[in-house]
Amino acid sequence: MRIGIDVDGVLRDFVSAFEGVVGQEYPNAQIPEMISTWKFEDEITGLSREEIKEIYKEKFSKQCFQDALPFPEAVPAFWTLEKWAKQEGHELIIVTSQIPVNRHYTLSWLGKYSLCPSEVIFARGKHKWIHDIDYLIDDSPVNHLYWTRNRKKDKDNFIIFNRSYNQEADSKYRIDSLLDIKKIIGRG
């Protein structure tokens, strides 16, 4: 099996890194304590949508991507999955959406934490379903929608990584830890 794993929202805490930049550089902006929607830009006041995108896509992309911390337990869980995947004949594939100019930050971040997938695929969320993967672990309710609309025969192979902003996604599988996928894939 080729198991796709998203980076931001699954392995890397992009939101906290972004909040740190905004808090330091834009003190008049207001970010809610808990992000409740995938389109987090809609919940921030004091910055336009264009200014928000400029922060993480241009001005402070290094801080938001390369310098961001992993979620607690994400790195040791990935290492455990690497060993399990090797034993079981599976491949772990990073499938993440990054604009081309910022992709090196994600590659650097993966190396910094010694996360060594079999492959790294950069694909916009709406195109993740096209790639040669059997399962996708992702936090995006939008990516879930594209997957289920376009991969009818294996629509249940999209595994939602639980976050406050994806609770409306109706997925057969939800996980709170990467290690939970061993139980799901073991069923298949």
Side-chain angles (χ1 to χ4, degrees):
M1 295 279 171
R2 289 173 52 89
I3 304 162
I5 301 174
D6 183 34
V7 175
D8 294 308
V10 176
L11 300 173
R12 177 171 57 194
D13 191 356
F14 164 82
V15 171
S16 291
F18 176 80
E19 288 173 342
V21 167
V22 170
Q24 186 172 1
E25 302 292 331
Y26 303 88
N28 294 329
Q30 298 290 318
I31 300 176
E33 252 184 67
M34 185 180 346
I35 302 293
S36 63
T37 178
W38 174 250
K39 295 183 179 187
F40 73 96
E41 296 99 334
D42 295 341
E43 296 188 350
I44 299 170
T45 58
L47 292 169
S48 70
R49 183 178 277 274
E50 291 73 30
E51 288 172 313
I52 292 168
K53 287 185 178 182
E54 183 181 55
I55 290 168
Y56 68 85
K57 287 186 174 184
E58 297 171 25
K59 285 185 176 179
F60 299 98
S61 53
K62 180 182 182 292
Q63 293 87 336
C64 291
F65 295 109
Q66 183 173 320
D67 298 343
L69 294 174
F71 284 105
E73 300 303 317
V75 171
F78 193 91
W79 294 339
T80 300
L81 283 181
E82 284 178 315
K83 291 175 191 160
W84 168 79
K86 186 175 181 179
Q87 291 171 346
E88 298 294 321
H90 302 312
E91 294 177 275
L92 300 183
I93 313 296
I94 293 296
V95 185
T96 187
S97 178
Q98 299 290 312
I99 61 172
V101 71
N102 289 331
R103 291 176 179 173
H104 66 287
Y105 292 133
T106 293
L107 294 172
S108 175
W109 187 87
L110 291 168
K112 178 178 176 178
Y113 291 101
S114 300
L115 304 179
C116 303
S118 300
E119 186 178 340
V120 177
I121 297 171
F122 291 101
R124 294 207 40 191
K126 66 182 180 179
H127 299 294
K128 288 183 176 184
W129 68 270
I130 294 171
H131 294 277
D132 180 25
I133 52 175
D134 298 299
Y135 287 87
L136 178 61
I137 300 148
D138 201 315
D139 63 312
S140 169
V142 175
N143 295 346
H144 174 262
L145 187 62
Y146 283 117
W147 180 282
T148 56
R149 282 185 181 167
N150 293 291
R151 291 185 75 150
K152 303 266 189 241
K153 69 176 183 145
D154 61 356
K155 67 183 179 83
D156 290 337
N157 291 5
F158 189 102
I159 302 167
I160 287 275
F161 200 94
N162 265 330
R163 295 288 174 223
S164 60
Y165 47 78
N166 66 21
Q167 296 305 301
E168 77 281 359
D170 185 22
S171 182
K172 182 175 181 179
Y173 299 114
R174 287 184 166 272
I175 61 173
D176 295 302
S177 165
L178 279 177
L179 298 178
D180 294 341
I181 68 170
K182 294 188 328 183
K183 292 179 227 156
I184 293 168
I185 292 177
R187 293 179 188 159

